[in-house]
Amino acid sequence: MPVSSLRVIVLEDHSFQRAIAVSMLQQLGCTDVFQAADGAEALAVLNEVGPVDIALCDLRMDGMDGLEFLQAVGHSGLVGSVIISSSLSADLRRTVRQIISLLDLELLGDIGKPLHYETLERLLKKHCSVPRTGAPPEPLETVPDEAQVRQALAAHELCAFFQPKFILETGETTGVEVLARWRHGSGKVLSPACFLPVLERHGLLDDLLCQQLHQGLALQQQLRTQGYELNFAFNLHAAQLSSGTLASQVRGLLGEYGARGASLTFELTEAGMLQAPETSLECLFRLRMMGCRLSIDDFGTGFSSLQRLFQLPFNEIKLDAGFVQALAQEPRCRAVVSSTLALGETLGMTVVVEGIETDEQRQHLLNLGCTQGQGYWCAKPMSSGDLLRWLEGQQQRSQRA
């Protein structure tokens, strides 16, 4: 993507600094640059001009401040990436970065003030260099109701997308995470943020998981015939662990598709792990007995106790992407990554780092001892057809090397 095609909005209440930021962006080649003095004005601009790729955002503003604005656009699709430009203290900006990671927004950079041309240029190039594989999710104009989601399930419009996991040193693909997307009748591909809450509220998560397991295992079977042995990871909600049929359902599907338990991973968020009742232990035990791997997803965003971590039979930790964003600038982030790696090694658990977007981040993680990761540096979530073509391209590049 060329810089000239980027759509950027500048949120800054100081008119002179706002003018400087707009001028810098235009000098760097951006032709669609919008501006606002606070969050409310920015929302009005976005309602008029539509979604933007990047929001260059101050945090402390009169009226609606930057954090309120980010909370308003989170999960909406109106803003793709965020650059924080604020004079607030490092600990406060760190908190905002954490909130951004929970709002389904991509943090492109935290550059403080004053704004520097070279730094801004680097971040724009970083955004443009990220591979854009497959169709990006788009927001629904209205929140779907139960009937619409049930109809989408019945019509198999809620389909599986796949994001590769890879070896940091070589880029070799080791597996994929299976993610839900809605191929809406309008032709758009919709984010799970618009339909997963409805599924959860009306007890339909098991129906979605069943469809994803069939789609994932069928693709995995096809890949095996082509020489690819990839682990497929599926997301579980804590409530699904109390089902007395989940383990037997997985066992039956493994037999149907001729797959081994070791070829599947089930990911449960750290918060979900805390909510899981003691009766869930039997389900986790039976999945592990079949050879399936169990992963703690978004590790570091919840407040799990070490005792709970010790009690549950997980064998993988997925470190949340928020710790990667400021890895080069934040000693605390490096400390968290190093501590998690040490914890994983002590407990005999693999550590997978999420949210790797740049080669610089990959190199930092390698230096800290990380071996496995996931993120846009390798590939975005993609359809089954795109994944097959992507793997073939990887194989051809490897043979030429």
Side-chain angles (χ1 to χ4, degrees):
M1 173 189 294
V3 170
S4 60
S5 66
L6 291 177
R7 292 164 56 85
V8 185
I9 187 167
V10 177
L11 280 76
E12 170 62 64
D13 62 349
H14 193 288
S15 59
F16 180 67
Q17 292 185 18
R18 186 168 67 248
I20 289 176
V22 170
S23 176
M24 280 187 186
L25 288 163
Q26 291 172 339
Q27 290 176 48
L28 286 165
C30 297
T31 55
D32 288 338
V33 181
F34 312 99
Q35 55 183 299
D38 66 12
E41 186 178 336
L43 289 174
V45 170
L46 293 180
N47 285 332
E48 181 180 346
V49 304
V52 295
D53 298 293
I54 299 171
L56 176 60
C57 188
D58 191 8
L59 295 175
R60 181 160 43 196
M61 292 179 283
D62 293 333
M64 180 186 284
D65 62 32
L67 179 56
E68 288 179 279
F69 167 77
L70 294 173
Q71 289 173 321
V73 298
H75 307 297
S76 71
L78 287 172
V79 173
S81 301
V82 178
I83 300 174
I84 297 174
S85 178
S86 172
S87 57
L88 288 177
S89 62
D91 59 331
L92 289 176
R93 299 203 313 272
R94 186 182 306 116
T95 301
V96 172
R97 292 200 300 269
Q98 178 73 0
I99 294 171
I100 287 172
S101 70
L102 300 174
L103 292 173
D104 200 27
L105 294 170
E106 176 187 4
L107 179 63
L108 195 55
D110 177 3
I111 56 180
K113 283 186 175 180
L115 197 60
H116 295 287
Y117 184 93
E118 294 78 9
T119 305
L120 189 56
E121 180 181 32
R122 175 177 58 80
L123 291 177
L124 294 184
K125 288 181 176 177
K126 169 187 170 183
H127 185 279
C128 294
S129 67
V130 172
R132 311 285 163 180
T133 307
E138 296 186 33
L140 263 182
E141 295 177 0
T142 58
V143 177
D145 58 25
E146 179 186 359
Q148 290 172 311
V149 173
R150 284 187 181 275
Q151 185 177 355
L153 267 171
H156 294 275
E157 291 181 357
L158 302 187
C159 56
F161 268 48
F162 306 89
Q163 184 175 29
K165 299 179 181 180
F166 61 94
I167 302 295
L168 267 65
E169 188 169 359
T170 64
E172 176 189 355
T173 304
T174 59
V176 296
E177 181 179 357
V178 182
L179 301 162
R181 297 291 185 267
W182 184 349
R183 288 195 181 277
H184 196 261
S186 65
K188 295 179 180 180
V189 178
L190 305 175
S191 163
C194 75
F195 60 86
L196 279 184
V198 182
L199 290 169
E200 182 181 348
R201 196 159 50 244
H202 297 285
L204 298 172
L205 288 174
D206 286 345
D207 299 80
L208 175 65
L209 178 62
C210 181
Q211 289 191 7
Q212 286 196 308
L213 283 166
H214 276 286
Q215 293 175 49
L217 284 165
L219 178 59
Q220 188 185 59
Q221 185 180 55
Q222 181 181 354
L223 288 171
R224 280 199 304 273
T225 65
Q226 299 178 20
Y228 299 105
E229 291 287 344
L230 298 180
N231 182 282
F232 275 45
F234 298 84
N235 290 285
L236 282 180
H237 189 276
Q240 294 174 281
L241 293 176
S242 58
S243 167
T245 62
L246 177 60
S248 59
Q249 179 188 16
V250 171
R251 184 185 300 278
L253 288 171
L254 288 172
E256 181 179 344
Y257 289 96
R260 296 177 300 110
S263 70
L264 300 186
T265 295
F266 291 96
E267 298 185 4
L268 180 70
T269 62
E270 184 180 9
M273 180 183 73
L274 287 178
Q275 297 164 11
E278 294 301 324
T279 53
S280 302
L281 277 171
E282 180 183 352
C283 181
L284 296 173
F285 170 78
R286 294 194 181 284
L287 290 172
R288 278 293 306 275
M289 281 285 286
M290 280 184 266
C292 300
R293 294 180 60 80
L294 300 177
S295 177
I296 304 169
D297 197 11
D298 297 334
F299 187 77
T301 60
F303 302 94
S304 61
S305 69
L306 291 178
Q307 182 183 26
R308 193 71 168 132
L309 185 63
F310 174 75
Q311 288 173 340
L312 298 170
F314 286 82
N315 45 17
E316 179 181 282
I317 295 172
K318 290 190 76 178
L319 187 61
D320 184 70
F323 296 106
V324 180
Q325 305 300 326
L327 197 59
Q329 299 83 24
E330 280 286 354
R332 288 189 179 191
C333 288
R334 294 194 292 274
V336 169
V337 173
S338 297
S339 299
T340 305
L341 288 169
L343 178 65
E345 183 176 3
T346 301
L347 297 179
M349 300 171 71
T350 303
V351 176
V352 178
V353 182
E354 298 181 284
I356 304 173
E357 299 174 356
T358 68
D359 194 58
E360 180 185 16
Q361 291 171 344
R362 184 182 71 92
Q363 291 294 339
H364 277 299
L365 290 167
L366 277 171
N367 292 338
L368 290 172
C370 299
T371 59
Q372 296 188 46
Q374 187 176 356
Y376 291 177
W377 179 85
C378 181
K380 274 193 167 186
M382 61 190 94
S383 67
S384 57
D386 285 337
L387 177 65
L388 287 167
R389 287 185 287 273
W390 185 83
L391 288 169
E392 289 169 1
Q394 291 283 95
Q395 187 176 58
Q396 290 169 6
R397 284 188 289 274
S398 176
Q399 290 171 348
R400 287 196 298 267

